Amino acid sequence: MRHLLITADDFGLTRGITDSILEAADEGVLNNVSILANGNAVDYALTEYRKRSARLSISIHLNLTEGPATATGDRTRFLTDGNDHFCHSFVSLWLRYIFSLPRTRRVIRSQIRDELSAQINKVRTILSDNIAFRVDGHQHIHMLPFVFEELLKICKGYKISSIRIPTEPFFFAKPVSVYFSPNIAKHVLLNILGWRNRTLARMAGVEANSFFIGVLFTGHMTKDAVESGLKRISKLSNPDDSTEIIFHPG
């Protein structure tokens, strides 16, 4: 694997999770972290990241499902509750959009674009305007068709270097209980959305990883699972392809 990105998601979510990720990074296990701009420990996480930036890259973990909104005022009213905290899951946000009138859909898209921009701006302001960031989504929320389309619209203005596409090949590993869990449905859905969104990203001139590991074995990312996934990818990939593996330390 010439291009292998090993990422810890949820960097900055809490102090404990952030410390677990930093420990893994310091042990040389990780080469990338994905920061939650609205996390409880985001300032602490970015301060610690600066100390390690020479050997650790960073992505922005875009979030529309958990915690407080970053955009201010009335700019997120279809995405949040009365306390300005996100109130939708992956499924409920999709349903809210599908069953809305065209005018409401346009407002939802606008508010998503404002919120994603606010989160990217927050990280860029703290770190640097000159860094070309990777982006991905908390709970893969960026893969929703209308969210992905709005994300593509703002990519060029924010120097987004690439977007995570969680298209994961099917492979076998232990425990076998994984194949009788909701992970299967999530794996299939994200692969379908990934095929669609990868095509859109390519048309927009935005880079994306070629392969991915971390959906099928969510909650069971053992050494055996990772090795089995990489063996499967090695049979499908070309020398210039890139693979991202995600973990959730802590």
Side-chain angles (χ1 to χ4, degrees):
M1 296 291 168
R2 185 176 299 174
H3 308 287
L4 183 62
L5 197 66
I6 305 176
T7 301
D9 281 358
D10 298 344
F11 191 54
L13 178 59
T14 67
R15 177 72 178 256
I17 287 173
T18 300
D19 283 338
S20 294
I21 292 172
L22 291 170
E23 182 180 350
D26 290 343
E27 290 292 329
V29 177
L30 306 170
N31 58 8
N32 187 60
V33 293
S34 193
I35 183 79
L36 271 168
N38 71 333
N40 292 329
V42 61
D43 293 332
Y44 168 72
L46 290 174
T47 298
E48 291 299 314
Y49 168 75
R50 283 199 198 93
K51 303 174 184 177
R52 300 162 173 84
S53 59
R55 53 186 171 84
L56 193 65
S57 60
I58 192 167
S59 304
I60 301 178
H61 202 46
L62 299 170
N63 181 13
L64 297 172
T65 58
E66 184 177 0
T70 305
T72 57
D74 196 38
R75 292 160 61 194
T76 59
R77 64 188 178 91
F78 283 104
L79 309 176
T80 58
D81 58 20
N83 297 314
D84 292 328
H85 279 64
F86 294 122
C87 61
H88 287 292
S89 65
F90 184 102
V91 174
S92 69
L93 182 57
W94 202 348
L95 292 175
R96 179 70 173 91
Y97 182 81
I98 289 173
F99 292 106
S100 293
L101 296 172
R103 182 182 180 280
T104 303
R105 287 185 181 186
R106 289 193 293 271
V107 175
I108 291 173
R109 281 176 172 267
S110 175
Q111 292 187 0
I112 287 171
R113 190 165 61 248
D114 285 347
E115 178 60 27
L116 298 183
S117 296
Q119 292 182 20
I120 294 170
N121 270 328
K122 182 174 180 178
V123 176
R124 287 170 58 86
T125 299
I126 295 175
L127 291 181
S128 170
D129 283 340
N130 296 319
I131 297 177
F133 290 95
R134 299 182 184 91
V135 294
D136 51 62
H138 187 51
Q139 300 169 351
H140 307 293
I141 195 68
H142 70 303
M143 294 301 289
L144 286 174
F146 54 97
V147 176
F148 196 86
E149 289 164 11
E150 295 309 311
L151 177 57
L152 285 179
K153 290 178 183 178
I154 64 177
C155 275
K156 291 184 179 179
Y158 288 108
K159 297 181 182 178
I160 302 301
S161 61
S162 66
I163 300 177
R164 175 191 292 168
I165 305 289
T167 47
E168 181 179 44
F170 189 83
F171 59 91
F172 290 99
K174 295 180 180 179
V176 295
S177 59
V178 164
Y179 303 101
F180 303 94
S181 73
N183 287 3
I184 288 290
K186 185 166 65 172
H187 178 268
V188 172
L189 176 61
L190 288 174
N191 273 291
I192 293 171
L193 292 175
W195 176 83
R196 173 195 183 273
N197 291 342
R198 186 183 300 279
T199 301
L200 293 179
R202 188 181 300 116
M203 291 171 60
V206 179
E207 297 291 329
N209 55 294
S210 310
F211 295 95
F212 179 84
I213 298 173
V215 172
L216 187 58
F217 278 81
T218 298
H220 303 277
M221 286 289 285
T222 63
K223 179 182 177 183
D224 178 59
V226 173
E227 288 182 340
S228 297
L230 288 174
K231 286 178 182 177
R232 175 62 177 156
I233 289 171
S234 69
K235 297 177 182 179
L236 302 171
S237 62
N238 297 313
D240 291 330
D241 286 339
S242 59
T243 299
E244 182 173 15
I245 308 172
I246 64 164
F247 295 91
H248 295 82

